[in-house]
Amino acid sequence: MAITLTESAANHVTRYLANRAKGVGIRVGIKTTGCSGLAYVLEFVDELASEDQVFESKGVKIVVDPKSLVYIDGTELDFVKEGLNEGFKFNNPNVSSECGCGESFNV
């Protein structure tokens, strides 16, 4: 499978990469934290590591380390605006439960 972006997420990332004037894409990963065990991590990527898996969606490179890929394979990343709030939303088919605050998940 792969990690994909919606049109909204791709447009948002493309704008930020252009404003930074550097970077090859975004890194999507996980870290152990929160009340449900795992949380998503997003950051810009300036250099690829040899073990990185690279996917491309709507012209944006998405970089994932092999340990994170097990938990997020098949995820679609969206960028949503809800009222005054805006941010990335992860549509991860592997999630079995999420904490009440929405900051962490379990597979």
Side-chain angles (χ1 to χ4, degrees):
M1 293 184 86
I3 311 299
T4 58
L5 300 174
T6 64
E7 197 67 43
S8 176
N11 290 338
H12 186 76
V13 171
T14 300
R15 277 194 310 274
Y16 270 80
L17 284 171
N19 287 341
R20 284 183 85 229
K22 66 177 182 176
V24 296
I26 59 167
R27 179 177 300 280
V28 180
I30 56 119
K31 65 179 179 176
T32 303
T33 189
C35 43
S36 289
L38 302 170
Y40 298 105
V41 177
L42 274 176
E43 59 189 10
F44 291 107
V45 176
D46 293 328
E47 293 183 25
L48 297 173
S50 61
E51 70 273 4
D52 284 337
Q53 298 285 319
V54 181
F55 304 97
E56 188 163 330
S57 179
K58 296 181 177 45
V60 176
K61 285 189 171 63
I62 306 158
V63 181
V64 183
D65 67 273
K67 291 180 182 177
S68 295
L69 186 58
V70 174
Y71 299 101
I72 61 174
D73 194 19
T75 296
E76 178 188 59
L77 187 57
D78 193 9
F79 188 79
V80 295
K81 293 181 180 183
E82 297 173 349
L84 297 176
N85 298 318
E86 63 181 19
F88 287 100
K89 179 179 178 186
F90 295 83
N91 299 311
N92 184 345
N94 305 302
V95 171
S96 61
S97 63
E98 294 178 318
C99 69
C101 65
E103 293 295 321
S104 62
F105 66 97
N106 195 1
V107 282

